[in-house]
Amino acid sequence: MKHGTNPNWFANSPLSRVNIEKDQEAFFNARLADPKSLVIPLWRGDPLMTDGSPAFLSVGALSQFPKDAPVILLGMKDERAYFAVDVSAAESAETAPFADIGDYVQLRIAAGVLTRDDLAIIGQGRWYFEWRRKHRFCGNCGGETRLEAGGAKSRCTRCEEEHFPRINPVAIMLAIHDNACLLGRGHQFPPGFVSALAGFVEAGETPEECARRELFEEAGVVIDDVRYQFSQPWPFTCSLMMGFIAEAEGREINLDMEELAEARWCDKADVIAVLNNETRDFNVPPKFTIARQLLERWVKE
Ligand SMILES: [Zn+2]
């Protein structure tokens, strides 16, 4: 499988997205009636899995789900349509439909075992349902919205305003200086777990400006040059993570203790040892994160 220059998990979906602006109802319904079509159930964003694989059910199984369970067309592959169905209305994963044939596995845990293709498909479904859950009403007039175009957008039933999925841009940046990189730990993480720093891009700001600002605000590190690397759709927060490697002017750290519990410069040799599981002096994020991929790219530079 080729991933071009983007090594990230949740990226490089094998599905081709379908533009069904015209005749959308007819297209959607024809795919729903096609016995080749498959559907993955998600309970609060977590996929149904059997024997370590996602449980893609025949689309006919939808008749056994609640009538009002949201269904989204994710895309096509080899003339087969892939849908996701949201069973979050069930009170628990154990009582959700088809829990008798498998388990709804937390996506962060499933991410460690799923193939990249499956993870891209499931991440897309989680993303749409998360957006849908938070945007059921129109921001323009407060009316109810309903999904259109297979779920790729919604429209207000009152004022007809169109609404598209809200994507939150985030800059994530590995600051480097000579043979060391800056890793920090947010208060929510256990001691020893460090990662690249990150922050949401603000209105009227470029991701590059955001990278400079966040490194200065959180760690007091001044950046000389910022180089874009690659991006990752991140379904846990409906974010688009944009990864940078940033050359720092020096190693002085002035920590914002409200934002970070710690930040430190780590030598490349030590980072390589951690990536290779040769030491546990500190821990870095798992392979399915863009932070890890930035580290992997930097150590190969
Ligand atoms: Zn409206």
Side-chain angles (χ1 to χ4, degrees), residues 92-131:
S92 71
E94 289 73 30
T95 57
F98 286 88
D100 55 327
I101 67 157
D103 296 306
Y104 288 89
V105 179
Q106 281 185 37
L107 187 56
R108 277 177 197 276
I109 293 169
V113 294
L114 289 176
T115 67
R116 286 163 169 269
D117 279 359
D118 287 341
L119 205 54
I121 293 169
I122 289 164
Q124 185 190 346
R126 180 186 179 115
W127 186 307
Y128 275 116
F129 291 142
E130 184 72 8
W131 162 64

Side-chain angles (χ1 to χ4, degrees), residues 138-145 156-161 163:
C138 175
N140 191 39
C141 78
E144 268 197 72
T145 59
C156 178
T157 55
R158 197 191 291 167
C159 76
E160 303 226 312
E161 178 88 359
H163 299 282

